[in-house]
Amino acid sequence: QLPSADGVWTDLRLAPEALGEGSTAVDDAAIVVQHGHIVWVGERRALPAAHAQGPQHAGHGALVTPGLIDCHTHLVYGGQRANEFAMRLAGASYEEVARAGGGIVSSVRATRAASEDELFALAAPRLQALLNEGVCAIEIKSGYGLSLEHERAQLRVARRLGEHFGVTVRTTFLGAHALPPEYAGRSQAYIDTVCHEMMPALAAEGLIDAVDVFCETIGFSLAETEQVFRAAQRLSLPVKLHAEQLSDMGGSALAARYGALSCDHIEHLSDAGIAAMKQAGTVAVLLPGAYYFLRDTHLPPIAALRAAGVPMAVSTDHNPGTSPTLSLLLMLNMACTLFRLTVPEAVAGVTRHAARALGLQHSHGQIAVDQPANFVLWPLGEVAELAYWLGQHPQPTVVRQGRITSHP
Ligand SMILES: O=C(O)CC[C@@H]1NC(=O)NC1=O
Ligand SMILES: [Fe+3]
């Protein structure tokens, strides 16, 4: 059992916007935790005497952010795809690798061959690496099973990871990730199976928090995507979308029409897609790891998203094919360096905007009274260091779900 974080945390510096959008930094702050929840936060000199009792936790001047949120991962899978990395070094494109039977389908074979215990054992150290960097909530997709039995296994492992590590896990059903070999050439038949057999069964077992589709030239069409969205709607499941990663399929506008939580990748997002997302309150999830790893050169429309006021999140997109990274802090650096986000935008992208992309904005993503205690104490001089250091990062003290889970 990890030590309780209950008590009074003092000598803290709250980062800008840690208390929510527009909130300012607080240099000498205190946080009071009771029964694993935040009951008070603010300037220490204003701390009510009634709250000042109880165990004392010295912050030693640490910079404090809300717990980080990785809002787009494919964390549960078998095998790895370093061989394709080498193929692409020899000039093969991501699409060519996919059409040659590599890509997602090769991870499907390795995932189907693994038991749930083996999938858990493979995913656990991946999750631990993210937790060590202050991640307190994470989204985990299926999409490497592509059959009822194996999609169920992935989603059960995702739930088990959350219980085992005491971290908030939101599961996303991504049965429409790729066409499994047994449905080669029969895309419509597979989508029918996804909509009428897999999704209802897995939803009934409580394994699905949201539904996603890979809407792309090498994925599923707009019509197939809408068929999946309609099935999700019938089951009252929110949707999100791998959208406009390699081309403008119009997926973002479709997703916005279904009130999507988020559209993700969006390198090829159009002005019409931006307007639709703004209207629907859909979050733009930026995945610089995949952009970098694929040597993409088509930047997402960051300035237009900023001008339109579409909230932007940042995530690892951890997956064995296009973003084999387990550092959300490296993604902060890439979001700034490659996509030109400001530091406050990037930090909001892994806190409150990431929370919104998962429908968790009422319980995660900021330090607020009555919310579960999820916050991170960084031994840093300033918040820009979260995006500045490239590859090596400070070891934070992490309070996750009211427990002190790691400290230097
Ligand atoms: O290559 C993989 O294994 C998944 C790639 C990942 N999935 C997707 O739809 N887009 C991606 O970048
Ligand atoms: Fe992805």
Side-chain angles (χ1 to χ4, degrees), residues 74 81 94 103-104 107 144 177 214 242 245 265 290 317 319-322:
H74 306 252
R81 295 193 355 234
Y94 181 57
I104 295 171
S107 290
Y144 289 120
H177 194 195
F214 182 29
H242 278 72
Q245 178 182 5
H265 284 289
D317 187 17
N319 75 79
T322 67

